[in-house]
Amino acid sequence: MCGIYAAISRRDFIFPGQDLEHLLCNRGPDHIGQAQAQVESDGTTLAVSFTSTVLALRGGHLTPQPFVDPQSGSILCWNGEAWKIGQETFVGNDGQKVFESMVKASTTQNGVAGSSHCVFEVLNSICGPFAFVFLDNTRKQLFFGRDRLGRRSLLYNNMEHANAIEFSSVADPTRGLWNEVEADGIYVLPLGKETPIGRLQLPDPSLTSTSILPVHKYSWGVKSVDSGHIPQPFPEQWEEPPNKNPPLGMFNKNIPKGTQFLTPQSSSVKHLHDYLRESLKDRILNIPIPPGLDSVHNVRVAVLFSGGLDCTVLARIAHDLLPLGDHIDLINVAFENPRVIHAMQNTPKSKNQASLHTQNRYTLNFPEARPFERVSSLLSPFESCPDRETGRKAFQELLNVCPNRVWRFIAVNVPYAETLVHRTRVVSLIHPHNTEMDLSIAYALYFAARGTGIVSSGVDEGLTPYTTPARILLSGLGADELFGGYTRHATAFNRKGFPGLLDELELDVNRLGKRNLGRDDRVMSHWGREARFPYLDEELVKWAVGLPIWEKCGFGTAPSNEQEPHIDPSKKVLRLLAYKLGMLSVAREKKRAIQFGARTAKMEIGTTKGTSLIS
């Protein structure tokens, strides 16, 4: 993973500045590199600068960035993980391989000139998360974009006062108003005297934008373009052909005929297991040893662990894949929420007995933090959080089912005072997102990714301060959208039956690339860790999208016999997989949004809504 920055100017070279460079180095603490180029095109000269910071996670050694081709002068800043390029699974340094493929696609080969479309085809063939900026110095073009699911952050900032444009993984809001590059395709900016640098406006939804800047776009999934018929540069009125190949596959909207039963023996349960194993293999095997790792804390992978269905299934399958000598950390975050505490004060004491713990357990994570003012020193606001309760329950089940593995449960306790200390930083990291819901979700991810808390390897062991050395964080995001896990999916079925449910699921799948994954990437990567999303593997997504509704949900049906498990119909295929893997309690766990499970939602007493702008 990397922090990337690029700037184009008609004047002098522009660099990130001290504050922005510091943010980029937080993302990539292992190396920082820079490259510059003067691009001569149409009688004008543009100054193009690149900065990359590196978190070394691929290959046997650190590979510096930016990548520079001395022959053509082309340059690449790459922040991604190319698990596959075409049909080839790639294990070594993927950035170098991607760069070589892009340079080859853009340069003259055997007397035939390369093209923008050739570069796009290289990017379109990649399975994995990425964001990038590529200077094609052969054809005098700048490519930039994000993968089709938007799993990595890329922002742009118009610097009209400096007659420049800059791109970055993370924003410095004091430098201007940043915007997010959409994850709907690859953008191409022809460089020349007609380019009014400093007023970038990305086209949406057409291929070309003639209003401000001639930025062109190749949409994901479009394969019917014959690059030999596309003049370079693009003509003003050239239109992209209809998208006959949806980038995430064709959504299956068939309605079941008669009663269909989903059981532990159903083929979709087995196939889901297979797809998740393959997805996890790419994401957790062959990880370099983190700096400072010792035999006592032999851990390379941590799980963002609420104790819910999605993350616990990942932890359980990871156990089957990793050597037993590798430990697995489970990061569980809980917050002191003044609004909830105020409500608890007015609740009869007998209902709070289960939440009583010693003052030492409360203050061990942050000894300097005092309990919220009107709360008894014996009452822990952390252990009563819903995600802490389900987390400890699922932790115990993992210990029972996988007793030969060293599991560490990291209880990340965040006092309200600590939340306030970090508020300004978190608000800056989520920029340009700016709602209270953005902030509440970001708080949970930010403190979880820090990985500092109170650790235990067994439910009855002592509690010790601990920070995970793992640089890879597994997230269960995506399972709800693919398999119908949200409450609104059940509501849609109750109101409009299968047609309503299918419409709601299709809507979720189509906007996967427009989710807030860029925001989440900026928040979690701040700690020099990389979040990976096994449910959002391209092959798994395409399989799930094409799956008939009765093979992933159980709405409208009951168990086929008394021996079948009685579990919730939402995400039933995943619940049945958990059941087959021995996680019987987890298979029945209800869905809960992270901001409510960790209690970061509505921390202030009042009427603030999630859609309210951050004050």
Side-chain angles (χ1 to χ4, degrees), residues 251 309-310 478-491 501 504-506 508-509 544 549 552-555 568-575 591:
F251 189 83
L309 174 68
D310 311 336
D480 290 303
E481 289 82 358
L482 294 176
F483 303 115
Y486 291 120
T487 302
R488 51 188 166 76
H489 295 142
T491 301
L501 172 61
E504 194 71 24
L505 281 170
E506 185 179 30
D508 277 340
V509 168
I549 188 66
K552 45 191 171 186
C553 302
F555 294 108
D568 197 272
S570 64
K571 293 186 292 191
K572 189 170 184 179
V573 63
L574 188 57
R575 294 181 185 279
K591 164 69 183 175

Side-chain angles (χ1 to χ4, degrees), residues 285-331:
L285 301 181
N286 303 309
I287 297 173
I289 298 174
L293 189 71
D294 55 44
S295 58
V296 178
H297 302 112
N298 185 20
V299 56
R300 307 185 199 194
V301 175
V303 183
L304 300 176
F305 192 73
S306 65
L309 174 68
D310 311 336
C311 59
T312 310
V313 167
L314 295 181
R316 174 65 183 82
I317 299 177
H319 164 74
D320 292 337
L321 297 173
L322 289 171
L324 285 177
D326 284 14
H327 307 169
I328 300 178
D329 284 350
L330 308 171
I331 305 175

